[in-house]
């Protein structure tokens, strides 16, 4: 049925004036909504979220993008290529903060070539809207004037609107807590999947979890959910594919880290590709276990090259096996062999 559902105790959902009782399971897959930070004035303006940006039928003359994460940089580049003058305003000290610093550098340079300006470590004081468009006041800089403002500062769930308290979940929590069978912790007959579980805001997480939920609800055997090999791709040009943890995350987790890298232009395929061949492969190894715990493949088809690396991290393939397998010539994924040699020192 079509409608807005609200949990009403274990196994019960209310949609308008219809009350539903599940004999077996309630599965919550409500996703998240774009979240806007409490910047003075912003809430009173007709700012865009990703939704309005994607519904636009004409490119604005100028656009200020607040937030330089994956969605912010993807849309910044897309609009720039439609002819919009784009400025990305990011609070952190680099774009694509959760990814490797080398990826931030690559994407910042690529955006620069498309005419996108990036302002990092930015403190926005206020956003105003008037007949001449938007004004974004950033600490220590001239005000930024733009026809449109796109807010891309993350996404949040709303457990209160969902009625999560009725199944015993703390409604002020950011996500529905789930176990490795995706059962909502402390709630009977309730499963959750996707963004609302906080395990990674990606379509493939939602689908991976859905498979587990279906099997668990039907009483079939379940392979418990594991997220150590979570892949993701930022679809800028060049693409940034990444899996597992970054070098910094591995180090702060106390892992003895070894890294290896190869630049795409230095590879045979990168040389053949010529223009637009910027990119790199970076590997992060748990040196004590001799397996990769993270990797990045950025460049042309970076998201496709990621496939081999995602398997290596997921299946914990020994780096010595990666060193002695055969990589087809002249492919982009052959860069992985060079990065493994760099990591192992031979
Ligand atoms: C601009 C953008 C680009 C993205 N690009 C990628 C990408 O390239 N790759 C990738 O993997 N992921 C991408 N994502 C993330 C991806 O879209 C989400 O991770 C994914 O859609 C989450 O799936 P979900 O099933 O949890 O929720 P959703 O796909 O959000 O679906 C939830 C649905 O539930 C409905 N709903 C919500 N509350 C209720 C309620 N109370 N009652 C009834 N219905 C309700 C919503 O209207 C919605 O239709 C992107 C997201 C954005 C915003």
């Amino acid at each position: 049925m079509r409608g807005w559902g609200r949990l009403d105790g274990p196994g019960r959902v209310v949609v308008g004036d219809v009350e539903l009782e599940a004999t077996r399971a309630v599965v919550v897959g409500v996703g998240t909504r774009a979240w806007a930070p409490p910047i003075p004035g912003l809430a009173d303006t007709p700012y865009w979220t990703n939704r309005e940006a994607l519904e636009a039928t004409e490119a604005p003359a100028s656009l200020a993008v607040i937030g330089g994460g994956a969605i912010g940089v993807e849309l910044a580049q897309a609009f720039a290529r439609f002819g919009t003058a784009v400025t990305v305003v990011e609070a952190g000290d680099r774009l694509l903060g959760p990814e490797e610093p080398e990826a931030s550098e690559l994407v910042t340079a690529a955006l620069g070539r498309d005419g996108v300006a990036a302002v990092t470590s930015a403190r926005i004081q206020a956003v105003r809207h008037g007949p001449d468009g938007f004004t974004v006041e950033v600490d220590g800089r001239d005000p930024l004037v733009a026809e449109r403002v796109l807010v891309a500062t993350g996404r949040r769930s709303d457990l209160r609107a969902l009625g999560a308290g009725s199944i015993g979940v703390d409604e002020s929590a950011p996500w529905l807590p789930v176990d490795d069978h995706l059962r909502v912790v402390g709630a009977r007959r309730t499963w959750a999947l996707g963004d609302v579980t906080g395990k990674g805001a990606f379509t493939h997480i939602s689908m991976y979890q859905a498979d587990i939920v279906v099997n668990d609800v039907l009483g079939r055997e379940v392979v418990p959910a594991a997220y150590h090999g979570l892949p993701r791709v930022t679809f800028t040009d060049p693409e940034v594919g990444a899996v597992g943890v970054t070098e910094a995350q591995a180090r702060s987790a106390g892992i003895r880290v070894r890294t290896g890298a190869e630049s795409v232009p230095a590879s045979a395929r990168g040389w053949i590709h010529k223009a637009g061949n910027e990119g790199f492969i970076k590997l992060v190894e748990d040196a004590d276990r001799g397996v990769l715990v993270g990797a990045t493949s950025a460049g042309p088809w970076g998201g496709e090259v990621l496939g081999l690396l995602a398997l290596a991290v997921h299946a914990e393939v020994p780096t010595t096996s990666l060193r002695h397998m055969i990589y087809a010539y002249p492919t982009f994924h052959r860069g992985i062999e060079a990065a493994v040699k760099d990591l192992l020192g031979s």
Side-chain angles (χ1 to χ4, degrees), residues 115-200:
V116 176
V119 182
T120 51
S121 304
R123 297 282 163 271
I124 300 178
Q125 292 298 342
V127 175
R128 285 182 280 113
H129 182 257
D132 296 330
F134 288 82
T135 305
V136 181
E137 291 176 12
V138 184
D139 245 5
R141 298 180 58 92
D142 289 340
L144 183 64
V145 176
E147 184 183 331
R148 291 281 172 195
V149 161
L150 165 63
V151 176
T153 45
R155 301 179 65 81
R156 300 244 169 122
S157 59
D158 184 350
L159 299 191
R160 194 157 285 121
L162 183 66
S166 72
I167 57 165
V169 171
D170 173 9
E171 291 184 346
S172 65
W175 318 113
L176 282 179
V178 288
D179 66 14
D180 59 11
H181 283 51
L182 284 317
R183 298 174 188 181
V184 176
V185 177
R188 284 182 296 118
R189 283 192 286 166
T190 313
W191 282 254
L193 57 86
D195 283 10
V196 76
T197 64
K199 302 294 185 191

Side-chain angles (χ1 to χ4, degrees), residues 83-284:
T84 301
V86 182
T87 304
V88 180
V89 184
E90 164 59 43
D93 61 1
R94 58 189 174 95
L95 304 182
L96 282 186
E99 301 300 350
E100 294 284 6
E102 296 89 336
S104 303
E105 238 172 78
L106 181 80
V107 167
T108 305
L111 260 56
R113 285 193 294 275
D114 284 317
V116 176
V119 182
T120 51
S121 304
R123 297 282 163 271
I124 300 178
Q125 292 298 342
V127 175
R128 285 182 280 113
H129 182 257
D132 296 330
F134 288 82
T135 305
V136 181
E137 291 176 12
V138 184
D139 245 5
R141 298 180 58 92
D142 289 340
L144 183 64
V145 176
E147 184 183 331
R148 291 281 172 195
V149 161
L150 165 63
V151 176
T153 45
R155 301 179 65 81
R156 300 244 169 122
S157 59
D158 184 350
L159 299 191
R160 194 157 285 121
L162 183 66
S166 72
I167 57 165
V169 171
D170 173 9
E171 291 184 346
S172 65
W175 318 113
L176 282 179
V178 288
D179 66 14
D180 59 11
H181 283 51
L182 284 317
R183 298 174 188 181
V184 176
V185 177
R188 284 182 296 118
R189 283 192 286 166
T190 313
W191 282 254
L193 57 86
D195 283 10
V196 76
T197 64
K199 302 294 185 191
F202 303 103
T203 302
H204 43 271
I205 281 283
S206 189
M207 296 167 107
Y208 166 75
Q209 293 177 327
D211 194 46
I212 293 173
V213 170
V214 168
N215 285 324
D216 202 34
V217 169
L218 296 179
R220 296 178 187 150
E221 199 181 326
V222 165
V223 176
Y227 303 97
H228 67 280
L230 170 59
R232 65 256 172 208
V233 180
T234 302
F235 289 98
T236 41
D237 174 18
E239 293 176 1
V240 177
V243 58
V245 293
T246 61
E247 179 183 353
Q249 287 165 343
R251 289 191 191 285
S252 63
I255 293 171
R256 193 167 69 83
V257 169
R258 268 197 305 190
T259 63
E262 167 72 344
S263 102
V264 174
S267 69
R269 181 59 180 272
W271 182 83
I272 293 166
H273 193 80
K274 299 270 186 309
N277 66 359
E278 296 83 8
F280 66 91
I281 288 167
K282 176 172 176 177
L283 311 178
V284 181

Side-chain angles (χ1 to χ4, degrees), residues 1-7 13-15 28-34 50-51 54 70-71 74-75 155 161-162 193-197 200-207 209 231-235:
M1 64 185 294
R2 258 183 117 76
W4 204 253
R6 205 180 142 79
L7 296 169
V13 176
V14 175
V15 185
V28 181
V30 293
T32 44
R33 286 193 209 154
N50 60 282
R51 189 174 283 266
L54 294 180
I71 292 174
E74 287 174 354
L75 290 174
R155 301 179 65 81
L162 183 66
L193 57 86
D195 283 10
V196 76
T197 64
F202 303 103
T203 302
H204 43 271
I205 281 283
S206 189
M207 296 167 107
Q209 293 177 327
R232 65 256 172 208
V233 180
T234 302
F235 289 98

